[in-house]
């Protein structure tokens, strides 16, 4: 299958200089590389045109962040398969072959490789590790990372398997499925947009897989630092929006209140530590949701129109309880322990 690697960048020329050569050295036989320049001010587009004339450069008039930047670049890509790749990912030559092979199963529409840290290749990387999951309340975790705890990679997650979501740092997806799902939700901007997309793809009856025989190395933290208030705000906001869009009304009626209560229960810790970032980020995200009811209703209607499977089925693909309770109260610090935990949180 013809494949287009789509890389969004904003003032990221130093990263492209460092990591783009590895992408261009990929040994996949039918490969196109598309770089979407989100109105960079560092001469990225001109440098690409001069240095790598075979790269398709899409110049955006403004910075549409990750979601819109990728969506607007897709019409310029020719591949039947799309790979959305961060501009700070180093790849080995054969990384794409096992990922595309996983798409031979017609029910599988999106896959990811194993992500390790670029600076420490013995440890999983935060953004995706070896495949993503959600708990019953919409908190994401990965095989290799629970909250901020990153595991060493000792081969414990080397099995290819279905996951709930695949990382946007290196996401391979069938173009037809991506376009029929409406692409990334541009109102998310950045963060959680790939989880939302994978959720909608599953509502339509498809499956998502992790293929750890493909390994890539993610630098991470260029766009937003881990301690950034904006990152915390976007995470809280977009997680709430994701629940409102994708859950059935019956499940939403009990999940959303409990999710809000769980989050509110953690806010006193921020007050005690005199760290107002998380409380302010959550309340800001909640306020964004509350003042945009029509927007949420429209996005929800779009997601629910595509539904082909029930939440009862989707629930079997999630951790049945709360990862917060498991992590902080029961000391379960790894995905291995969480994924072996039965119902009851």
């Amino acid at each position: 299958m013809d494949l287009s690697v789509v890389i969004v960048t904003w003032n990221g020329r130093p990263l492209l200089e460092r990591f783009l050569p590895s992408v261009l050295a990929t040994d996949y036989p039918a490969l196109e590389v598309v770089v979407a320049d989100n109105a960079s001010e560092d001469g990225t587009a001109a440098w690409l045109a001069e240095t790598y004339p075979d790269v398709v450069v899409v110049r955006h008039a403004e910075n549409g962040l990750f979601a819109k930047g990728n969506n607007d670049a897709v019409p310029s890509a020719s591949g039947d398969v799309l790979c959305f790749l961060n501009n700070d990912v180093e790849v080995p030559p054969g990384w794409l072959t096992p990922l595309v092979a996983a798409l031979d199963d017609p029910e599988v529409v999106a896959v990811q490789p194993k992500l390790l840290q670029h600076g420490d290749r013995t440890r999983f990387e935060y953004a995706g590790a070896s495949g993503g999951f959600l708990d019953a309340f919409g908190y994401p975790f990965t095989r290799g990372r629970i909250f901020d705890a990153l595991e060493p990679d000792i081969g414990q997650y080397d099995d290819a398997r279905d996951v709930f979501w695949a990382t946007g740092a290196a996401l391979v997806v069938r173009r037809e499925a991506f376009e029929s799902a409406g692409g990334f939700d541009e109102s998310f901007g950045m963060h959680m947009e790939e989880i939302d997309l994978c959720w909608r793809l599953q509502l339509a009856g498809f499956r998502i897989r992790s293929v750890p025989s493909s390994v890539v190395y993610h630098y991470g933290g260029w766009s937003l630092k881990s301690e950034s208030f904006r990152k915390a705000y976007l995470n809280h906001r977009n997680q709430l929006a994701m629940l409102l869009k994708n859950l059935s009304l019956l499940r939403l009626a009990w999940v959303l209140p409990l999710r809000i209560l769980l989050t509110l229960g953690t806010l006193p810790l921020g007050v005690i530590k005199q760290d107002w970032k998380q409380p302010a980020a959550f309340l800001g995200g909640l306020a964004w949701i509350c003042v945009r009811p029509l927007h949420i209703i429209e996005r929800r209607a779009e997601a629910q129109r595509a539904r082909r499977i029930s939440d009862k089925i989707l629930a079997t693909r999630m951790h049945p309880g709360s990862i917060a309770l498991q992590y902080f109260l029961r000391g379960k610090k790894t995905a291995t322990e969480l994924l072996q935990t039965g119902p009851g949180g």
Side-chain angles (χ1 to χ4, degrees):
M1 292 182 281
D2 291 346
L3 187 146
S4 296
V5 174
V6 180
I7 303 171
V8 167
T9 189
W10 177 72
N11 290 338
R13 178 173 165 178
L15 296 175
L16 290 173
E17 291 176 347
R18 184 174 181 182
F19 297 112
L20 183 60
S22 72
V23 180
L24 296 173
T26 299
D27 63 12
Y28 191 79
L31 180 69
E32 170 188 64
V33 177
V34 178
V35 175
D37 181 27
N38 265 345
S40 295
E41 300 169 344
D42 62 354
T44 292
W47 170 78
L48 283 168
E50 180 180 351
T51 310
Y52 298 109
D54 291 335
V55 170
V56 178
V57 180
V58 181
R59 302 189 184 199
H60 296 327
E62 59 183 10
N63 182 7
L65 302 178
F66 183 89
K68 182 173 173 56
N70 275 309
N71 285 349
D72 289 350
V74 167
S76 299
S78 62
D80 302 315
V81 177
L82 304 170
C83 174
F84 298 103
L85 187 71
N86 280 13
N87 62 359
D88 58 352
V89 175
E90 180 183 339
V91 298
W95 69 291
L96 278 176
T97 300
L99 297 173
V100 177
L103 298 179
D104 287 342
D105 184 332
E107 292 186 354
V108 176
V109 295
V111 297
Q112 73 154 78
K114 177 165 68 174
L115 268 71
L116 299 179
Q117 296 179 35
H118 186 267
D120 181 355
R121 301 189 180 201
T122 68
R123 301 190 76 83
F124 286 104
E125 204 278 328
Y126 183 95
S130 194
F133 291 87
L134 294 178
D135 75 359
F137 304 101
Y139 287 102
F141 65 99
T142 68
R143 296 199 301 168
R145 189 265 300 173
I146 310 296
F147 294 111
D148 291 330
L150 295 164
E151 296 180 50
D153 175 25
I154 54 174
Q156 70 272 43
Y157 304 121
D158 278 353
D159 56 312
R161 62 162 293 172
D162 284 9
V163 293
F164 197 87
W165 58 272
T167 176
L171 173 64
V172 175
V173 59
R174 295 180 188 272
R175 183 191 190 119
E176 182 179 5
F178 178 81
E179 292 180 335
S180 65
F184 296 113
D185 186 333
E186 295 180 6
S187 69
F188 278 42
M190 56 196 299
H191 294 290
M192 304 292 164
E193 68 288 313
E194 78 270 49
I195 304 179
D196 173 68
L197 172 66
C198 289
W199 200 335
R200 287 184 279 122
L201 290 172
Q202 290 183 91
L203 286 175
F206 298 113
R207 290 163 41 218
I208 317 296
R209 282 185 74 78
S210 171
V211 184
S213 55
S214 173
V215 183
V216 302
Y217 307 97
H218 189 202
Y219 184 75
W222 176 266
S223 299
L224 285 178
K225 302 300 181 184
S226 60
E227 66 276 8
S228 162
F229 169 80
R230 189 182 182 201
K231 183 171 185 175
Y233 164 74
L234 290 172
N235 281 336
H236 283 297
R237 186 195 77 178
N238 293 345
Q239 284 179 36
L240 291 172
M242 200 165 56
L243 295 176
L244 287 162
K245 288 175 55 179
N246 298 313
L247 285 175
S248 68
L249 285 175
L250 182 62
R251 193 169 180 88
L252 184 63
W254 66 267
V255 168
L256 184 62
L258 287 175
R259 168 59 191 266
I260 293 174
L261 286 173
L262 278 169
T263 306
L264 288 174
T266 67
L267 299 190
L269 288 175
V271 176
I272 292 170
K273 296 178 179 179
Q274 295 186 332
D275 177 6
W276 297 96
K277 181 179 68 177
Q278 291 299 333
F282 172 71
L283 294 174
L286 187 60
W288 187 93
I289 296 290
C290 290
V291 300
R292 290 170 173 79
L294 292 180
H295 170 83
I296 296 297
I297 290 170
E298 290 171 359
R299 290 293 190 271
R300 175 178 174 80
E302 292 169 2
Q304 295 301 315
R305 274 197 297 268
R307 182 185 285 273
R308 299 292 181 271
I309 62 174
S310 69
D311 274 9
K312 184 176 181 180
I313 295 174
L314 282 178
T316 65
R317 305 176 186 178
M318 299 178 175
H319 172 64
S322 163
I323 62 168
L325 295 179
Q326 292 285 353
Y327 185 92
F328 293 109
L329 298 183
R330 299 187 180 179
K332 296 183 182 293
K333 304 296 187 182
T334 69
T336 299
E337 295 172 294
L338 283 174
L339 295 173
Q340 291 175 347
T341 301

